[in-house]
Amino acid sequence: MISSFHLVRYLNDSGSDPRYLPEIKQLISQFGKIGNNLNQIARYFNQGGIISSEMKKEIRKALRDIYEMKYDMGKMVREFRGEM
């Protein structure tokens, strides 16, 4: 998997539309935060944690965030390709 540093550097060097760089950087940051949250949830369960209503709520929130970012990323890609 490519690191966020290398992705942003590639986008800067590739002549990509600079309007999208702030959004791409923000999405990369958000993906990292969600990944950290999911790792914490996995660690909790791997250490014998029991599922609670609070844990279910956190899992649902993480999934909603992922799907929202997937939609946003797809929209940016379509705009970048001139499909919108």
Side-chain angles (χ1 to χ4, degrees):
M1 177 162 224
I2 189 168
S3 73
S4 59
F5 169 79
H6 287 102
L7 178 60
V8 170
R9 184 173 174 194
Y10 167 76
L11 291 169
N12 280 329
D13 294 345
S14 68
S16 298
D17 190 334
R19 293 179 299 159
Y20 295 108
L21 288 177
E23 287 96 354
I24 291 170
K25 289 178 182 179
Q26 181 181 10
L27 285 172
I28 290 169
S29 173
Q30 289 174 350
F31 278 126
K33 290 175 185 175
I34 291 171
N36 286 337
N37 288 345
L38 291 174
N39 284 336
Q40 290 173 359
I41 291 168
R43 186 177 312 113
Y44 173 81
F45 286 124
N46 287 333
Q47 294 175 348
I50 57 172
I51 194 159
S52 65
S53 60
E54 186 63 30
M55 187 59 64
K56 286 180 184 179
K57 193 162 79 172
E58 285 295 316
I59 292 169
R60 285 189 196 105
K61 182 185 179 326
L63 290 172
R64 270 193 314 272
D65 290 345
I66 289 169
Y67 281 109
E68 183 179 319
M69 287 190 309
K70 178 182 173 187
Y71 172 80
D72 291 343
M73 184 65 81
K75 184 177 174 185
M76 276 195 295
V77 168
R78 287 188 301 278
E79 287 175 6
F80 183 77
R81 291 180 176 169
E83 297 173 6
M84 293 187 80

